[in-house]
Amino acid sequence: KENIRAQTRQLEQRALLGEFMGVFAHEVLNPINSISTGLQLMKLKLGEEHPNRDIITGMENDCIRLHHQMEALKNFAKPYEPTQEPLDLRQLLIRVSERWRPRMERLNISQTMQIDENLPTIIGDWKSIEQVFTNLISNAIDAMNVTGGILSIRATQGEPVGKLKQLVITVSDTGPGIPDDIRVRIFEPFVTSKAMGTGLGLAITKRIITAHRGSITVNSFPGGTVFQVTLPANEEK
């Protein structure tokens, strides 16, 4: 009973914190937008050759970064209840990876994809699952944006849990790897190794996977990183 009470208090505190985060992000966005608009007007009046133009450009970039972080914070604070519909994961992975092909070609990144032909469907929210693999592929590409490399996507059937089939999807890169101090906290909010990152992408990714009764893990080492997502198959298929 004491454990249940403690868990209930913790959930109530998290709900209150989430509500506060959403209100905070909304209130901060308004002055950020006003500052950004003012900077744009100042920049136009100063002209192309003014010595302070670069300073204003830097401030504009800071406003853009803060705006992006506040929008991510608002989305993270929202309650999440995924829709339930059959999803063809094979088609979804192909669609998402093709979207990144032009950028990979520019960055000298090649791609390998191994997806079982008879991969079962899953039940869930296609927009959210697409966001998961968009995040993972985007992160993998960012890790190789300097030297190029290989992006590998693999989807197979894993070991069943009881009678329920499991799908295992891995997204791998040949980048420099994730530092240990970041890797152990990589799914926590506001943890990132990117200069312009919000630190919420993987936290949101984990929340989506957990809401779909799945799991996500990461293995990283010098020369590569592997994210593994496990999702239950559609019981009707």
Side-chain angles (χ1 to χ4, degrees):
K1 287 182 179 180
E2 286 298 322
N3 286 337
I4 292 172
R5 290 193 187 100
Q7 290 174 2
T8 301
R9 284 195 298 270
Q10 188 179 45
L11 289 172
E12 289 173 348
Q13 290 170 355
R14 287 182 179 178
L16 181 61
L17 180 60
E19 183 178 351
F20 169 77
M21 287 167 61
V23 172
F24 172 77
H26 178 76
E27 292 299 320
V28 171
L29 277 170
N30 290 331
I32 289 174
N33 291 332
S34 296
I35 293 169
S36 181
T37 301
L39 289 170
Q40 290 174 26
L41 291 173
M42 288 175 63
K43 197 173 181 180
L44 287 172
K45 290 184 177 181
L46 291 178
E48 294 287 342
E49 304 300 327
H50 197 281
N52 291 330
R53 187 178 176 86
D54 289 343
I55 296 175
I56 293 178
T57 298
M59 295 169 68
E60 282 183 312
N61 291 335
D62 286 340
C63 285
I64 292 170
R65 181 171 60 86
L66 285 172
H67 187 279
H68 181 55
Q69 289 177 328
M70 289 301 105
E71 285 290 351
L73 188 61
K74 273 177 61 179
N75 291 332
F76 185 71
K78 290 178 182 177
Y80 176 64
E81 295 182 5
T83 59
Q84 302 292 317
E85 59 182 338
L87 300 178
D88 186 331
L89 199 58
R90 176 184 175 83
Q91 291 183 4
L92 185 146
L93 289 170
I94 293 172
R95 182 172 66 248
V96 172
S97 63
E98 283 297 317
R99 192 178 300 154
W100 290 99
R101 185 175 295 279
R103 187 179 179 209
M104 287 191 287
E105 290 176 352
R106 290 196 303 270
L107 296 175
N108 195 30
I109 296 172
S110 58
Q111 176 182 283
T112 65
M113 182 175 288
Q114 301 176 16
I115 303 177
D116 286 358
E117 289 288 342
N118 299 318
L119 201 68
T121 61
I122 63 172
I123 292 291
D125 185 331
W126 73 266
K127 289 183 179 179
S128 296
I129 296 298
E130 186 173 276
Q131 182 181 358
V132 165
F133 292 106
T134 297
N135 285 343
L136 295 180
I137 292 172
S138 174
N139 287 345
I141 292 171
D142 286 344
M144 300 182 287
N145 66 353
V146 176
T147 59
I150 301 172
L151 170 70
S152 301
I153 301 172
R154 189 167 184 263
T156 62
Q157 287 194 50
E159 292 295 323
V161 175
K163 294 183 179 180
L164 185 59
K165 296 177 181 177
Q166 302 292 310
L167 276 61
V168 178
I169 308 97
T170 58
V171 178
S172 312
D173 66 67
T174 57
I178 303 170
D180 289 344
D181 59 329
I182 294 177
R183 178 184 53 78
V184 296
R185 301 172 53 234
I186 196 69
F187 297 112
E188 296 178 13
F190 311 114
V191 175
T192 181
S193 59
K194 299 180 184 179
M196 297 294 287
T198 63
L200 288 173
L202 287 174
I204 292 172
T205 293
K206 183 176 176 62
R207 181 170 71 164
I208 291 171
I209 294 298
T210 301
H212 285 79
R213 298 180 297 149
S215 63
I216 181 169
T217 59
V218 60
N219 183 24
S220 189
F221 43 85
T225 298
V226 181
F227 281 92
Q228 177 174 295
V229 175
T230 303
L231 291 165
N234 182 0
E235 296 179 0
E236 297 178 0
K237 297 290 184 181

